[in-house]
Amino acid sequence: MSAQAPATAETLAIHQLMQQSGVKFGTSGARGLAEDMTDRVCYAYTLAFLQYLMDQGEIKAGDRVALAGDYRPSSPRIMAAAALAIGDAGCLPLNCGFIPSPAVALYGIQNGIASLMVTGSHIPDDRNGIKFNTPRGEILKQDEAGISAARVNIPAGRFDDEGRAREAAPLPTEDDAAYRVYVQRYLDFFPPACLAGLRIGVYEHSSVARSALAAVCAGLGAEVIHLGRSETFIPVDTEAVRPEDVALAQQWAAEQPFDCLVSADGDGDRPLVSDARGQWLRGDVAGILTARYLDADAVATPVSSNSALEKSGWFAHIQRTRIGSPYVIAAMDQAVAAGHTRVVGYEANGGFLLASDIELHGRSLPALPTRDAVIVPLAILVLARQQGVDIAGLVQQLPPRYTYSDRLKQFPTEVSQARLAEFDSGDPARDRAAIEARFGQFGRVTAIDRTDGLRISFDSDEIVHLRPSGNAPELRCYNEADSAARAVELNTQCMRILEGWRP
């Protein structure tokens, strides 16, 4: 339902803009170098998103559209460009400020409005992105296709030759309603004072989740210690934790007593949770424990997640997916359609999703089908108390399967794809032989899974999973073994092999 373009307007085809700008769809939105995400590019993407929702009848002119951002230097500028597009689409921009991605998505879902989050998540601040949410939740792959096919009209003179807005209006005054709703969500669900007596360190760095994590933990009775706040952006990755963050957690735990440390990535949708010694839990282990606390009857998770999920025997239905929240959400929707009533999902980065309303201890937690960080440490801490153990003891209740991952940075996606294609000839016997020629030190190949990348199981019961990143020029390597030390050793050996793949 796009308006007819005035004679002086510029008409842009989004699929062409993707190629011209280098800003393409990653997970649930657009992502690229901050310098490539000009005001004009971000305006066009936002306008295409809103136009698509109007065409689908999900929003209409005059509706509010919520927007928020992370603490990257480029985020306020991109938020302003998005707000300009919202206004030109005939909608009303609602500035929710700098809050977690799940907080702005939740507010949109509860109020039946579209929302967006300006963030590059965990990647360095020379990049950024925009996550788009329909009134039902984050956009899925079919929505990406619809937005990519859009053509938008940009008023003449709106941007200069460098793509900068000529008359960018300031963002509307911040409204903290979305933040308050998000914090209250957890205070209403978990039992009062359920964290009383616990001492929790909040590693704040530059995460927009730092205030919410502290507020919820304190509101549930914990003593909260604020640690490591940074006024410059730090790219904390919860899936490939930086050595600096490993060392910091262990240092803090050695200096003073904590029951755990908690944190999140830049936009607050991926958690970090440690035990009392400052050992960070892997995100897929945290996901299993969170699902157990919520008494899930169906769990969706990517193929890269720890296989202790199946070995635990705790869940009636498990669906493995490609990596990325849209695929997890699609699998959760299938589980709901099949009649499961307590459907959850999680990713190896720890982000946790709820497809169902969860009823526990006489309280209700409404569905939130997008990655969330705050639910995870709360669920783990309360479950540990229920079991009468600390977090380390809770982890020991899981079958002994350990994962470790790392990545080659600045590794072009096309090179990754070409390397993996060497093991996909169409002849299984030939592929096994090719894999064993390169990775034979790990044993004989027993299974090859190409759900997402190349996941190889060996007769040693060890796993090597290689996958090009979907949102950065990186080649990721995931490993699984029967001990933590062996998982690290396996990953180190794999990374040496992969280094030899550089062009």
Side-chain angles (χ1 to χ4, degrees), residues 211-482:
S211 295
L213 279 168
V216 173
C217 289
L220 293 173
E223 178 188 359
V224 172
I225 309 300
H226 301 266
L227 302 165
R229 176 176 284 244
S230 174
E231 299 308 320
T232 58
F233 189 82
I234 298 176
V236 170
D237 186 344
T238 65
E239 192 169 1
V241 182
R242 303 179 315 149
E244 305 97 301
D245 295 322
V246 172
L248 270 177
Q250 294 174 359
Q251 175 188 331
W252 286 327
E255 290 175 346
Q256 54 183 311
F258 291 107
D259 291 283
C260 78
L261 303 171
V262 301
S263 190
D265 67 339
D267 69 319
D269 67 348
R270 305 176 178 201
L272 276 176
V273 187
S274 85
D275 61 18
R277 297 172 299 151
Q279 301 287 336
W280 296 119
L281 274 61
R282 300 289 299 176
D284 46 7
V285 170
I288 297 171
L289 297 175
T290 304
R292 187 186 186 195
Y293 171 74
L294 296 173
D295 194 25
D297 65 355
V299 180
T301 194
V303 65
S304 59
S305 295
N306 193 310
S307 64
L309 175 68
E310 286 86 357
K311 294 178 183 293
S312 71
W314 292 336
F315 309 104
H317 175 77
I318 294 170
Q319 178 65 48
R320 294 285 183 159
T321 74
R322 292 182 63 184
I323 295 173
S325 54
Y327 301 109
V328 175
I329 292 168
M332 292 195 304
D333 289 344
Q334 292 173 4
V336 170
H340 295 283
T341 58
R342 304 174 74 85
V343 181
V344 306
Y346 66 86
E347 296 185 277
N349 55 47
F352 202 86
L353 307 91
L354 289 179
S356 307
D357 295 348
I358 300 294
E359 301 287 339
L360 274 182
H361 38 68
R363 294 163 177 257
S364 178
L365 184 66
L368 180 55
T370 194
R371 280 194 306 258
D372 182 35
V374 171
I375 180 66
V376 175
L378 303 177
I380 290 173
L381 285 165
V382 177
L383 178 62
R385 285 203 145 178
Q386 290 177 348
Q387 299 289 320
V389 295
D390 61 10
I391 289 179
L394 194 62
V395 172
Q396 290 173 1
Q397 295 179 3
L398 287 166
R401 295 297 290 172
Y402 297 86
T403 57
Y404 193 83
S405 63
D406 204 348
R407 57 191 171 169
L408 290 181
K409 297 181 180 180
Q410 303 305 318
F411 199 95
T413 300
E414 60 271 18
V415 176
S416 296
Q417 293 170 339
R419 294 297 189 186
L420 297 187
E422 296 174 9
F423 308 110
D424 192 7
S425 68
D427 180 342
R430 181 179 175 183
D431 293 340
R432 283 196 297 272
I435 291 170
E436 289 173 4
R438 192 65 61 88
F439 299 97
Q441 60 189 297
F442 307 133
R444 296 187 61 82
V445 174
T446 58
I448 300 173
D449 188 331
R450 294 190 176 87
T451 300
D452 198 343
L454 178 68
R455 186 174 176 86
I456 312 157
S457 298
F458 296 91
D459 60 2
S460 58
D461 206 24
E462 296 177 343
I463 293 173
V464 173
H465 182 185
L466 309 175
R467 173 185 175 267
S469 172
N471 49 41
E474 299 173 349
L475 176 59
R476 289 185 177 265
C477 178
Y478 310 83
N479 298 99
E480 185 172 322
D482 60 6

Side-chain angles (χ1 to χ4, degrees), residues 55-84:
D55 289 345
Q56 298 296 310
E58 295 205 51
I59 66 170
K60 63 184 184 303
D63 285 354
R64 294 178 300 160
V65 177
L67 72 156
D70 68 13
Y71 288 128
R72 294 164 192 273
S74 58
S75 290
R77 173 185 62 79
I78 295 174
M79 290 170 67
L84 188 63

